[in-house]
Amino acid sequence: MIQTIQTSPIAGQKPGTSGLRKKTPVFMATPYLENYVQAIIDGIGGVEGRTLVVGGDGRYFNDTAIGVILRMAAANGAARCIVGQGGLLSTPAASHLIRKRKADGGLILSASHNPGGPEADFGLKYNGPNGGPASEAVTDQIFARTQDLTEYRIWEGDAPDIGLLGEAQLGAMVVEVIDPIADYADLMESLFDFAAIRTLFADGFRIRFDAMHAITGPYAHEILENRLGAAAGSVVNGTPSPDFGGGHPDPNPIWAHELMAAMYADDAPDFGAASDGDGDRNMIVGRGCYVSPSDSLAVLADLAHLAPGYAGGLAGVARSMPTSAAVDRVAAAKGIACFETPTGWKFFGNLLDAGRATLCGEESAGTGSNHVREKDGLWAVLLWLNILASTGKGVGQIMSDHWARYGRNYYSRHDYEEVNSDAAGALIADLRAELPALAGKSYGALIVDSADAFAYDDPVDGSHSAGQGLRVFFTNGARAVLRLSGTGTAGATLRVYLEALETDPAALHHDPQAALADVITAIDAIAGIAARTGRQGPDVIT
Ligand code: G16
C-alpha cells in the first residue's frame, strides 16, 4: 500500500561535487533520506514506469537506505529496480549496469573515499541514463525540489530481501537482484589483453592490490586472482566492511600507507595499486615509485593504444582544471584534442557522449574512459597491467621514459582539512578580489604572469559554469590553484594545487616538494594560507 507522508523542506540538501554527503546520523534521522530521495524523484521528472539501478559501497546504513529507496521507488510508480546482491555495486559497475540495461538512471549510495560508520559519512547521488553523474542542471532541479517539498511517498511494508539473487515484487514494481561483479568483469575482459596479463602473472610478476576494506575487494578477487591468475593473496583488505576496517578508504600515500610501505620495502612486489570506498579512484605505485594521478593519466593517454579496447587511438582527452598539464603534452604530441573542465566527473559526460574525449582524468586519483561514465579504479589498474605486459617494462622505467620524452610536470596537492568555514570562505573571497592586481608582482623567486577565476563553457551543450577555482600562473610556467572541496562533511577543506614543469634531463627525479618549493612559498605569500588557516602546514599532501 502506498503511504503519502507529510514533510517539510530540510535545509542544506544541496548536492556537492558528487551527490549529497553528510554525516551518517544526519542521513539516518527520518525524514532526511526520504526527503532527498523524493526530491531526486521529483527533480528528474518522476520515475513512473521507469527502471532504476540501485547499489552502494556497502558502508554503514547502505542496506537500510536501499530498503527505503526501493519502497519509495515502488510508491512512486517505478517499474523495476535492479539491485546489486547485498546492496553492493561499485560506482563504475553501477554506471556500466545503467548503460548495459538501458535503465533510466541509478541511485548510488556512497560517500566515496570518506570514512564510513555510525559516526562517519554517508552519501547518495543520482546518475542519469548515460550512466554518469547528474549534470549541474539536474542537480539544481533536485536541490530546488528539496526546498519546496511537502510530502513523500513510500510503500508500506518491507522491501524484498536483497541478499537473494532473482526477482521479487514490491507492489507493482519488480526488484531484480543481480550479481554485482560478473557484468563488470566481462566488460574489463572485453577491453584488455587478458591473455597477455595472464602470461605476465604466470611468469612470476607480483601485484599487491589494496582494496582498503571497501567495495573493490570482491571485484579484484574475481578479476585479478580468478580470471588473470595473480597469486592468491595478491588482493589485500579485500572484504568490504561497513566502516572500512576503521580506516579512511582514500587511495593516496597517506591513507594507503600500508601499501606504500610494502612497495618501498626490499622485497616489494612489481606493482601496487589501491582503490577507494566505491571503487572509482585508483592509486598506482611501482617498486619504490609512486605515480601521481596526473602523471598516471598522461602515461595512460600515451600508451592506451597497447590495449585492445583502445587500439584505434584516442579521439581526445580531458582533465579537470587543477590536474597537471602532463596529459596536455601527450595530447599535443599526438595531435588530439585536450579539454580542461571543472572538478567533478559530471563535466566529462558530454565530451564522452559526444565522442570528443576517450580518456579522462583528475588529480584526485580518478581516471576513466568512454567504457562507462564514471572514473574507474580497477580499469586504471588493468590498463596499467596491460601496458606493463605489452612493453615488458616496470613502472619506474615507464615513468623515466615518459619524463625524458615529455618533461615532468612536478605536482602536489596540499589539503587543509576542517578549516573554519568562514575563514576559508574569506581567504577565497579576498584572493578572488585581489586576482586582477597580481600580474607583474614578485613573490620570492617567482613573478606572477596572470591570475583568474576558472569558468567553463561546455563545448557540447553550451552551459556555463563559473567560480570553479582560482588560478595563479607564474612567468616560469609554474601554477598554483586554490579551491574549496565540494565533498567534505565538516568545516571547509582548502585545496592548494601546485605545479611546475621541468624539462632539464638532469632534474627529472627530484622530490616534488623540493621541486615545488618556490611555488609553495609564493602562493602562501599571495593568499596568506598559514596565517588565515592558523595551520603550520597542510594536513594531507598528495
Ligand atoms: C569526487 C568527484 C571528482 C572530484 C572529487 C574531489 O570524487 O567525482 O570528480 O575530483 O570528488 O572533489 P573535491 O575536490 O570537491 O573534494 P569521489 O571519488 O569523491 O566521488
Side-chain angles (χ1 to χ4, degrees), residues 423-459:
L427 186 156
I428 292 290
D430 290 350
L431 177 58
R432 182 180 292 118
E434 215 185 320
L435 291 174
L438 289 179
K441 289 190 178 165
S442 296
Y443 297 90
L446 301 185
I447 302 167
V448 176
D449 183 54
S450 63
D452 65 7
F454 180 62
Y456 178 62
D457 290 299
D458 187 306

PDB file of all heavy atoms in Angstrom, residues 423-459:
ATOM      1  N   ALA A 423      36.613  31.382   7.742  1.00  0.00           N
ATOM      2  CA  ALA A 423      37.995  31.757   7.426  1.00  0.00           C
ATOM      3  C   ALA A 423      38.350  31.297   6.011  1.00  0.00           C
ATOM      4  O   ALA A 423      38.972  32.040   5.233  1.00  0.00           O
ATOM      5  CB  ALA A 423      38.960  31.139   8.438  1.00  0.00           C
ATOM      6  N   ALA A 424      37.933  30.086   5.663  1.00  0.00           N
ATOM      7  CA  ALA A 424      38.235  29.568   4.329  1.00  0.00           C
ATOM      8  C   ALA A 424      37.503  30.385   3.264  1.00  0.00           C
ATOM      9  O   ALA A 424      38.077  30.732   2.218  1.00  0.00           O
ATOM     10  CB  ALA A 424      37.838  28.096   4.242  1.00  0.00           C
ATOM     11  N   GLY A 425      36.248  30.686   3.531  1.00  0.00           N
ATOM     12  CA  GLY A 425      35.464  31.478   2.576  1.00  0.00           C
ATOM     13  C   GLY A 425      36.081  32.854   2.372  1.00  0.00           C
ATOM     14  O   GLY A 425      36.164  33.355   1.242  1.00  0.00           O
ATOM     15  N   ALA A 426      36.550  33.464   3.468  1.00  0.00           N
ATOM     16  CA  ALA A 426      37.146  34.797   3.371  1.00  0.00           C
ATOM     17  C   ALA A 426      38.464  34.744   2.598  1.00  0.00           C
ATOM     18  O   ALA A 426      38.765  35.631   1.792  1.00  0.00           O
ATOM     19  CB  ALA A 426      37.379  35.361   4.774  1.00  0.00           C
ATOM     20  N   LEU A 427      39.231  33.683   2.828  1.00  0.00           N
ATOM     21  CA  LEU A 427      40.505  33.536   2.100  1.00  0.00           C
ATOM     22  C   LEU A 427      40.248  33.529   0.592  1.00  0.00           C
ATOM     23  O   LEU A 427      40.900  34.237  -0.177  1.00  0.00           O
ATOM     24  CB  LEU A 427      41.202  32.250   2.544  1.00  0.00           C
ATOM     25  CG  LEU A 427      42.601  31.943   2.025  1.00  0.00           C
ATOM     26  CD1 LEU A 427      43.325  31.005   2.991  1.00  0.00           C
ATOM     27  CD2 LEU A 427      42.618  31.338   0.638  1.00  0.00           C
ATOM     28  N   ILE A 428      39.282  32.718   0.197  1.00  0.00           N
ATOM     29  CA  ILE A 428      38.964  32.604  -1.236  1.00  0.00           C
ATOM     30  C   ILE A 428      38.412  33.927  -1.766  1.00  0.00           C
ATOM     31  O   ILE A 428      38.811  34.412  -2.839  1.00  0.00           O
ATOM     32  CB  ILE A 428      37.957  31.452  -1.471  1.00  0.00           C
ATOM     33  CG1 ILE A 428      38.610  30.098  -1.170  1.00  0.00           C
ATOM     34  CG2 ILE A 428      37.403  31.487  -2.891  1.00  0.00           C
ATOM     35  CD1 ILE A 428      39.673  29.644  -2.153  1.00  0.00           C
ATOM     36  N   ALA A 429      37.487  34.539  -1.016  1.00  0.00           N
ATOM     37  CA  ALA A 429      36.871  35.787  -1.483  1.00  0.00           C
ATOM     38  C   ALA A 429      37.922  36.887  -1.626  1.00  0.00           C
ATOM     39  O   ALA A 429      37.942  37.627  -2.621  1.00  0.00           O
ATOM     40  CB  ALA A 429      35.774  36.215  -0.510  1.00  0.00           C
ATOM     41  N   ASP A 430      38.814  36.992  -0.653  1.00  0.00           N
ATOM     42  CA  ASP A 430      39.827  38.054  -0.710  1.00  0.00           C
ATOM     43  C   ASP A 430      40.805  37.811  -1.852  1.00  0.00           C
ATOM     44  O   ASP A 430      41.214  38.750  -2.539  1.00  0.00           O
ATOM     45  CB  ASP A 430      40.577  38.138   0.631  1.00  0.00           C
ATOM     46  CG  ASP A 430      39.676  38.675   1.737  1.00  0.00           C
ATOM     47  OD1 ASP A 430      38.556  39.141   1.409  1.00  0.00           O
ATOM     48  OD2 ASP A 430      40.067  38.602   2.915  1.00  0.00           O
ATOM     49  N   LEU A 431      41.188  36.550  -2.044  1.00  0.00           N
ATOM     50  CA  LEU A 431      42.112  36.260  -3.142  1.00  0.00           C
ATOM     51  C   LEU A 431      41.438  36.548  -4.484  1.00  0.00           C
ATOM     52  O   LEU A 431      42.056  37.119  -5.392  1.00  0.00           O
ATOM     53  CB  LEU A 431      42.580  34.795  -3.075  1.00  0.00           C
ATOM     54  CG  LEU A 431      43.497  34.350  -4.221  1.00  0.00           C
ATOM     55  CD1 LEU A 431      44.751  35.217  -4.302  1.00  0.00           C
ATOM     56  CD2 LEU A 431      43.901  32.880  -4.054  1.00  0.00           C
ATOM     57  N   ARG A 432      40.162  36.183  -4.578  1.00  0.00           N
ATOM     58  CA  ARG A 432      39.454  36.434  -5.844  1.00  0.00           C
ATOM     59  C   ARG A 432      39.471  37.943  -6.149  1.00  0.00           C
ATOM     60  O   ARG A 432      39.720  38.361  -7.282  1.00  0.00           O
ATOM     61  CB  ARG A 432      38.011  35.926  -5.760  1.00  0.00           C
ATOM     62  CG  ARG A 432      37.257  36.129  -7.081  1.00  0.00           C
ATOM     63  CD  ARG A 432      35.818  35.643  -7.035  1.00  0.00           C
ATOM     64  NE  ARG A 432      35.720  34.211  -6.919  1.00  0.00           N
ATOM     65  CZ  ARG A 432      35.170  33.567  -5.902  1.00  0.00           C
ATOM     66  NH1 ARG A 432      34.643  34.241  -4.895  1.00  0.00           N
ATOM     67  NH2 ARG A 432      35.122  32.258  -5.880  1.00  0.00           N
ATOM     68  N   ALA A 433      39.243  38.742  -5.120  1.00  0.00           N
ATOM     69  CA  ALA A 433      39.220  40.195  -5.316  1.00  0.00           C
ATOM     70  C   ALA A 433      40.591  40.722  -5.723  1.00  0.00           C
ATOM     71  O   ALA A 433      40.714  41.692  -6.469  1.00  0.00           O
ATOM     72  CB  ALA A 433      38.746  40.877  -4.032  1.00  0.00           C
ATOM     73  N   GLU A 434      41.623  40.061  -5.253  1.00  0.00           N
ATOM     74  CA  GLU A 434      42.983  40.524  -5.498  1.00  0.00           C
ATOM     75  C   GLU A 434      43.543  40.073  -6.853  1.00  0.00           C
ATOM     76  O   GLU A 434      44.551  40.600  -7.330  1.00  0.00           O
ATOM     77  CB  GLU A 434      43.881  39.938  -4.382  1.00  0.00           C
ATOM     78  CG  GLU A 434      45.001  40.827  -3.922  1.00  0.00           C
ATOM     79  CD  GLU A 434      45.873  40.092  -2.911  1.00  0.00           C
ATOM     80  OE1 GLU A 434      45.291  39.374  -2.061  1.00  0.00           O
ATOM     81  OE2 GLU A 434      47.091  40.204  -3.018  1.00  0.00           O
ATOM     82  N   LEU A 435      42.909  39.074  -7.469  1.00  0.00           N
ATOM     83  CA  LEU A 435      43.465  38.457  -8.685  1.00  0.00           C
ATOM     84  C   LEU A 435      43.872  39.462  -9.771  1.00  0.00           C
ATOM     85  O   LEU A 435      44.971  39.361 -10.321  1.00  0.00           O
ATOM     86  CB  LEU A 435      42.475  37.435  -9.274  1.00  0.00           C
ATOM     87  CG  LEU A 435      42.232  36.146  -8.481  1.00  0.00           C
ATOM     88  CD1 LEU A 435      41.123  35.325  -9.137  1.00  0.00           C
ATOM     89  CD2 LEU A 435      43.510  35.321  -8.395  1.00  0.00           C
ATOM     90  N   PRO A 436      43.001  40.441 -10.075  1.00  0.00           N
ATOM     91  CA  PRO A 436      43.343  41.349 -11.188  1.00  0.00           C
ATOM     92  C   PRO A 436      44.601  42.165 -10.930  1.00  0.00           C
ATOM     93  O   PRO A 436      45.233  42.641 -11.879  1.00  0.00           O
ATOM     94  CB  PRO A 436      42.121  42.275 -11.276  1.00  0.00           C
ATOM     95  CG  PRO A 436      41.023  41.579 -10.541  1.00  0.00           C
ATOM     96  CD  PRO A 436      41.681  40.734  -9.501  1.00  0.00           C
ATOM     97  N   ALA A 437      44.985  42.292  -9.664  1.00  0.00           N
ATOM     98  CA  ALA A 437      46.134  43.148  -9.340  1.00  0.00           C
ATOM     99  C   ALA A 437      47.438  42.361  -9.212  1.00  0.00           C
ATOM    100  O   ALA A 437      48.494  42.936  -8.929  1.00  0.00           O
ATOM    101  CB  ALA A 437      45.853  43.903  -8.040  1.00  0.00           C
ATOM    102  N   LEU A 438      47.387  41.051  -9.397  1.00  0.00           N
ATOM    103  CA  LEU A 438      48.573  40.239  -9.105  1.00  0.00           C
ATOM    104  C   LEU A 438      49.632  40.244 -10.207  1.00  0.00           C
ATOM    105  O   LEU A 438      50.823  40.107  -9.931  1.00  0.00           O
ATOM    106  CB  LEU A 438      48.168  38.781  -8.832  1.00  0.00           C
ATOM    107  CG  LEU A 438      47.444  38.522  -7.509  1.00  0.00           C
ATOM    108  CD1 LEU A 438      47.081  37.032  -7.399  1.00  0.00           C
ATOM    109  CD2 LEU A 438      48.312  38.926  -6.323  1.00  0.00           C
ATOM    110  N   ALA A 439      49.208  40.380 -11.454  1.00  0.00           N
ATOM    111  CA  ALA A 439      50.158  40.245 -12.573  1.00  0.00           C
ATOM    112  C   ALA A 439      51.322  41.212 -12.411  1.00  0.00           C
ATOM    113  O   ALA A 439      51.130  42.396 -12.097  1.00  0.00           O
ATOM    114  CB  ALA A 439      49.446  40.491 -13.898  1.00  0.00           C
ATOM    115  N   GLY A 440      52.524  40.700 -12.595  1.00  0.00           N
ATOM    116  CA  GLY A 440      53.724  41.530 -12.524  1.00  0.00           C
ATOM    117  C   GLY A 440      54.359  41.570 -11.147  1.00  0.00           C
ATOM    118  O   GLY A 440      55.510  41.977 -11.002  1.00  0.00           O
ATOM    119  N   LYS A 441      53.633  41.154 -10.124  1.00  0.00           N
ATOM    120  CA  LYS A 441      54.207  41.206  -8.771  1.00  0.00           C
ATOM    121  C   LYS A 441      55.130  40.016  -8.519  1.00  0.00           C
ATOM    122  O   LYS A 441      54.902  38.917  -9.018  1.00  0.00           O
ATOM    123  CB  LYS A 441      53.086  41.202  -7.728  1.00  0.00           C
ATOM    124  CG  LYS A 441      52.302  42.502  -7.686  1.00  0.00           C
ATOM    125  CD  LYS A 441      51.379  42.531  -6.484  1.00  0.00           C
ATOM    126  CE  LYS A 441      50.623  43.849  -6.423  1.00  0.00           C
ATOM    127  NZ  LYS A 441      49.478  43.785  -5.513  1.00  0.00           N
ATOM    128  N   SER A 442      56.164  40.246  -7.700  1.00  0.00           N
ATOM    129  CA  SER A 442      57.124  39.195  -7.366  1.00  0.00           C
ATOM    130  C   SER A 442      56.842  38.634  -5.986  1.00  0.00           C
ATOM    131  O   SER A 442      56.517  39.381  -5.058  1.00  0.00           O
ATOM    132  CB  SER A 442      58.546  39.760  -7.341  1.00  0.00           C
ATOM    133  OG  SER A 442      58.898  40.206  -8.606  1.00  0.00           O
ATOM    134  N   TYR A 443      56.978  37.332  -5.886  1.00  0.00           N
ATOM    135  CA  TYR A 443      56.848  36.657  -4.589  1.00  0.00           C
ATOM    136  C   TYR A 443      58.012  35.697  -4.484  1.00  0.00           C
ATOM    137  O   TYR A 443      58.021  34.658  -5.155  1.00  0.00           O
ATOM    138  CB  TYR A 443      55.509  35.927  -4.490  1.00  0.00           C
ATOM    139  CG  TYR A 443      54.336  36.877  -4.549  1.00  0.00           C
ATOM    140  CD1 TYR A 443      53.757  37.210  -5.771  1.00  0.00           C
ATOM    141  CD2 TYR A 443      53.841  37.481  -3.393  1.00  0.00           C
ATOM    142  CE1 TYR A 443      52.701  38.101  -5.843  1.00  0.00           C
ATOM    143  CE2 TYR A 443      52.789  38.378  -3.462  1.00  0.00           C
ATOM    144  CZ  TYR A 443      52.233  38.684  -4.684  1.00  0.00           C
ATOM    145  OH  TYR A 443      51.190  39.579  -4.746  1.00  0.00           O
ATOM    146  N   GLY A 444      59.013  36.035  -3.678  1.00  0.00           N
ATOM    147  CA  GLY A 444      60.218  35.226  -3.615  1.00  0.00           C
ATOM    148  C   GLY A 444      60.854  35.178  -4.994  1.00  0.00           C
ATOM    149  O   GLY A 444      61.015  36.211  -5.663  1.00  0.00           O
ATOM    150  N   ALA A 445      61.118  33.965  -5.472  1.00  0.00           N
ATOM    151  CA  ALA A 445      61.803  33.809  -6.751  1.00  0.00           C
ATOM    152  C   ALA A 445      60.861  33.941  -7.951  1.00  0.00           C
ATOM    153  O   ALA A 445      61.324  33.940  -9.092  1.00  0.00           O
ATOM    154  CB  ALA A 445      62.478  32.437  -6.779  1.00  0.00           C
ATOM    155  N   LEU A 446      59.567  34.022  -7.704  1.00  0.00           N
ATOM    156  CA  LEU A 446      58.615  33.944  -8.817  1.00  0.00           C
ATOM    157  C   LEU A 446      57.902  35.274  -9.076  1.00  0.00           C
ATOM    158  O   LEU A 446      57.674  36.067  -8.159  1.00  0.00           O
ATOM    159  CB  LEU A 446      57.566  32.859  -8.536  1.00  0.00           C
ATOM    160  CG  LEU A 446      58.111  31.438  -8.326  1.00  0.00           C
ATOM    161  CD1 LEU A 446      56.956  30.454  -8.190  1.00  0.00           C
ATOM    162  CD2 LEU A 446      59.030  31.015  -9.466  1.00  0.00           C
ATOM    163  N   ILE A 447      57.515  35.466 -10.321  1.00  0.00           N
ATOM    164  CA  ILE A 447      56.744  36.646 -10.727  1.00  0.00           C
ATOM    165  C   ILE A 447      55.416  36.154 -11.299  1.00  0.00           C
ATOM    166  O   ILE A 447      55.387  35.196 -12.085  1.00  0.00           O
ATOM    167  CB  ILE A 447      57.485  37.448 -11.824  1.00  0.00           C
ATOM    168  CG1 ILE A 447      58.873  37.872 -11.313  1.00  0.00           C
ATOM    169  CG2 ILE A 447      56.669  38.670 -12.255  1.00  0.00           C
ATOM    170  CD1 ILE A 447      59.794  38.378 -12.418  1.00  0.00           C
ATOM    171  N   VAL A 448      54.326  36.801 -10.891  1.00  0.00           N
ATOM    172  CA  VAL A 448      53.010  36.398 -11.398  1.00  0.00           C
ATOM    173  C   VAL A 448      52.855  36.865 -12.837  1.00  0.00           C
ATOM    174  O   VAL A 448      53.102  38.037 -13.154  1.00  0.00           O
ATOM    175  CB  VAL A 448      51.878  36.980 -10.526  1.00  0.00           C
ATOM    176  CG1 VAL A 448      50.510  36.631 -11.127  1.00  0.00           C
ATOM    177  CG2 VAL A 448      51.980  36.452  -9.102  1.00  0.00           C
ATOM    178  N   ASP A 449      52.453  35.930 -13.679  1.00  0.00           N
ATOM    179  CA  ASP A 449      52.202  36.260 -15.077  1.00  0.00           C
ATOM    180  C   ASP A 449      50.757  36.680 -15.273  1.00  0.00           C
ATOM    181  O   ASP A 449      50.456  37.714 -15.868  1.00  0.00           O
ATOM    182  CB  ASP A 449      52.521  35.039 -15.953  1.00  0.00           C
ATOM    183  CG  ASP A 449      52.345  35.331 -17.423  1.00  0.00           C
ATOM    184  OD1 ASP A 449      52.945  36.305 -17.889  1.00  0.00           O
ATOM    185  OD2 ASP A 449      51.595  34.602 -18.091  1.00  0.00           O
ATOM    186  N   SER A 450      49.834  35.863 -14.751  1.00  0.00           N
ATOM    187  CA  SER A 450      48.415  36.198 -14.840  1.00  0.00           C
ATOM    188  C   SER A 450      47.682  35.432 -13.748  1.00  0.00           C
ATOM    189  O   SER A 450      48.223  34.488 -13.158  1.00  0.00           O
ATOM    190  CB  SER A 450      47.849  35.823 -16.213  1.00  0.00           C
ATOM    191  OG  SER A 450      47.924  34.424 -16.399  1.00  0.00           O
ATOM    192  N   ALA A 451      46.449  35.843 -13.484  1.00  0.00           N
ATOM    193  CA  ALA A 451      45.650  35.162 -12.456  1.00  0.00           C
ATOM    194  C   ALA A 451      44.184  35.334 -12.807  1.00  0.00           C
ATOM    195  O   ALA A 451      43.772  36.399 -13.293  1.00  0.00           O
ATOM    196  CB  ALA A 451      45.945  35.758 -11.081  1.00  0.00           C
ATOM    197  N   ASP A 452      43.392  34.283 -12.572  1.00  0.00           N
ATOM    198  CA  ASP A 452      41.968  34.405 -12.879  1.00  0.00           C
ATOM    199  C   ASP A 452      41.149  33.390 -12.083  1.00  0.00           C
ATOM    200  O   ASP A 452      41.698  32.537 -11.386  1.00  0.00           O
ATOM    201  CB  ASP A 452      41.712  34.227 -14.382  1.00  0.00           C
ATOM    202  CG  ASP A 452      42.039  32.825 -14.894  1.00  0.00           C
ATOM    203  OD1 ASP A 452      42.342  31.926 -14.072  1.00  0.00           O
ATOM    204  OD2 ASP A 452      41.984  32.615 -16.115  1.00  0.00           O
ATOM    205  N   ALA A 453      39.837  33.536 -12.187  1.00  0.00           N
ATOM    206  CA  ALA A 453      38.911  32.543 -11.635  1.00  0.00           C
ATOM    207  C   ALA A 453      38.463  31.688 -12.810  1.00  0.00           C
ATOM    208  O   ALA A 453      38.022  32.222 -13.833  1.00  0.00           O
ATOM    209  CB  ALA A 453      37.728  33.226 -10.977  1.00  0.00           C
ATOM    210  N   PHE A 454      38.577  30.371 -12.661  1.00  0.00           N
ATOM    211  CA  PHE A 454      38.290  29.491 -13.796  1.00  0.00           C
ATOM    212  C   PHE A 454      36.783  29.359 -14.015  1.00  0.00           C
ATOM    213  O   PHE A 454      36.011  29.138 -13.081  1.00  0.00           O
ATOM    214  CB  PHE A 454      38.889  28.104 -13.539  1.00  0.00           C
ATOM    215  CG  PHE A 454      38.648  27.118 -14.651  1.00  0.00           C
ATOM    216  CD1 PHE A 454      39.158  27.336 -15.926  1.00  0.00           C
ATOM    217  CD2 PHE A 454      37.913  25.960 -14.416  1.00  0.00           C
ATOM    218  CE1 PHE A 454      38.939  26.423 -16.952  1.00  0.00           C
ATOM    219  CE2 PHE A 454      37.690  25.043 -15.441  1.00  0.00           C
ATOM    220  CZ  PHE A 454      38.202  25.276 -16.707  1.00  0.00           C
ATOM    221  N   ALA A 455      36.381  29.529 -15.276  1.00  0.00           N
ATOM    222  CA  ALA A 455      34.991  29.291 -15.678  1.00  0.00           C
ATOM    223  C   ALA A 455      35.025  28.387 -16.903  1.00  0.00           C
ATOM    224  O   ALA A 455      36.013  28.378 -17.650  1.00  0.00           O
ATOM    225  CB  ALA A 455      34.294  30.601 -16.004  1.00  0.00           C
ATOM    226  N   TYR A 456      33.973  27.608 -17.069  1.00  0.00           N
ATOM    227  CA  TYR A 456      33.960  26.604 -18.146  1.00  0.00           C
ATOM    228  C   TYR A 456      32.726  26.766 -19.009  1.00  0.00           C
ATOM    229  O   TYR A 456      31.602  26.876 -18.499  1.00  0.00           O
ATOM    230  CB  TYR A 456      33.963  25.218 -17.512  1.00  0.00           C
ATOM    231  CG  TYR A 456      33.909  24.056 -18.489  1.00  0.00           C
ATOM    232  CD1 TYR A 456      34.917  23.847 -19.415  1.00  0.00           C
ATOM    233  CD2 TYR A 456      32.851  23.145 -18.452  1.00  0.00           C
ATOM    234  CE1 TYR A 456      34.872  22.761 -20.289  1.00  0.00           C
ATOM    235  CE2 TYR A 456      32.799  22.059 -19.315  1.00  0.00           C
ATOM    236  CZ  TYR A 456      33.817  21.866 -20.236  1.00  0.00           C
ATOM    237  OH  TYR A 456      33.768  20.800 -21.087  1.00  0.00           O
ATOM    238  N   ASP A 457      32.953  26.793 -20.298  1.00  0.00           N
ATOM    239  CA  ASP A 457      31.845  26.764 -21.256  1.00  0.00           C
ATOM    240  C   ASP A 457      31.852  25.402 -21.910  1.00  0.00           C
ATOM    241  O   ASP A 457      32.795  25.065 -22.644  1.00  0.00           O
ATOM    242  CB  ASP A 457      32.015  27.871 -22.294  1.00  0.00           C
ATOM    243  CG  ASP A 457      31.806  29.239 -21.672  1.00  0.00           C
ATOM    244  OD1 ASP A 457      30.705  29.483 -21.171  1.00  0.00           O
ATOM    245  OD2 ASP A 457      32.770  30.038 -21.660  1.00  0.00           O
ATOM    246  N   ASP A 458      30.836  24.628 -21.630  1.00  0.00           N
ATOM    247  CA  ASP A 458      30.769  23.263 -22.178  1.00  0.00           C
ATOM    248  C   ASP A 458      30.634  23.343 -23.704  1.00  0.00           C
ATOM    249  O   ASP A 458      29.685  23.938 -24.208  1.00  0.00           O
ATOM    250  CB  ASP A 458      29.560  22.545 -21.553  1.00  0.00           C
ATOM    251  CG  ASP A 458      29.517  21.078 -21.929  1.00  0.00           C
ATOM    252  OD1 ASP A 458      29.552  20.768 -23.149  1.00  0.00           O
ATOM    253  OD2 ASP A 458      29.422  20.252 -21.017  1.00  0.00           O
ATOM    254  N   PRO A 459      31.606  22.743 -24.448  1.00  0.00           N
ATOM    255  CA  PRO A 459      31.556  22.870 -25.900  1.00  0.00           C
ATOM    256  C   PRO A 459      30.435  22.063 -26.532  1.00  0.00           C
ATOM    257  O   PRO A 459      30.133  22.241 -27.708  1.00  0.00           O
ATOM    258  CB  PRO A 459      32.919  22.335 -26.348  1.00  0.00           C
ATOM    259  CG  PRO A 459      33.372  21.439 -25.253  1.00  0.00           C
ATOM    260  CD  PRO A 459      32.775  21.957 -23.994  1.00  0.00           C
TER     261      PRO A 459
END
